[in-house]
């Protein structure tokens, strides 16, 4: 995967991006409710994510943005967005971003997460996973730190997460 700068915008060559997930995302962008259908498929594969009622809005190598509504099912005893629901938002954005970023010859798994709770949120939320630079994925396993911000409706970061992803080449049979 290569990156090059064109003016002030970064252009990412996606020819080596993870085949299945990113290809499905791109195809579903051409149909009505494509984001909704894609998100439902992700939640079918990883049912726990359904608990926050996510909707994936944007996906490309090195970037993913997800939103979720404010509802009673994600509240804590104070009536604010629950800490673990915030972690779910961080993990879905980070995980789906990884799927769109690594080559199809590789796999990933989260092996740790550091979370900083900065404020309370009483609104719907969004999470943004972003890699400033996409590394070369070779034969050797690597750990990649994925930063994810969880924001309230005003765009204020109320949770910051650093997800450690173990990336390795898929085993061949």
């Amino acid at each position: 995967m290569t990156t090059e700068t064109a003016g002030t915008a970064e252009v990412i060559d996606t020819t080596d991006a993870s085949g299945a997930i990113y290809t499905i995302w791109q195809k579903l962008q051409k149909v009505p409710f494509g984001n909704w259908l894609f998100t439902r498929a992700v939640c079918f594969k990883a049912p726990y994510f359904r608990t926050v009622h996510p909707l994936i809005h944007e996906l490309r190598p090195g970037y993913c943005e997800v939103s979720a509504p404010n509802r009673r099912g994600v509240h804590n005893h104070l009536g604010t967005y629950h800490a673990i629901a915030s972690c779910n938002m961080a993990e879905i954005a980070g995980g789906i971003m990884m799927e769109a970023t690594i080559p199809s010859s590789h796999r990933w798994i989260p092996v740790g997460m550091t979370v900083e709770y900065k404020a309370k949120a009483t609104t719907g939320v969004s999470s943004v996973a972003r890699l400033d630079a996409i590394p070369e994925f070779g034969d050797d396993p690597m750990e990649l730190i994925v930063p994810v911000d969880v924001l309230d409706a005003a765009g204020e970061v109320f949770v910051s997460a650093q997800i450690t992803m173990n990336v390795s080449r898929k085993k061949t049979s």
Side-chain angles (χ1 to χ4, degrees), residues 53-68:
H53 295 202
L55 179 62
I56 300 167
H57 292 276
E58 190 173 345
L59 178 63
R60 64 181 183 268
Y63 187 87
C64 181
E65 183 178 337
V66 182
S67 70

Side-chain angles (χ1 to χ4, degrees), residues 75-105:
H75 287 179
N76 59 24
H77 65 289
L78 301 173
T80 61
Y81 210 85
H82 194 279
I84 298 305
S86 301
C87 290
N88 286 346
M89 288 296 294
E91 191 174 359
I92 192 170
I96 298 305
M97 187 271 306
M98 287 297 293
E99 283 291 327
T101 302
I102 66 171
S104 57
S105 57

Side-chain angles (χ1 to χ4, degrees), residues 1 14-23 61 98-108 137-138 167-172:
M1 184 151 320
T14 61
T15 55
D16 206 19
S18 181
I21 293 291
Y22 192 58
T23 299
M98 287 297 293
E99 283 291 327
T101 302
I102 66 171
S104 57
S105 57
H106 286 68
R107 61 186 177 180
W108 62 273
F137 299 99
V167 181
S168 63
R169 186 170 288 283
K170 291 179 182 175
K171 298 197 186 322
T172 56

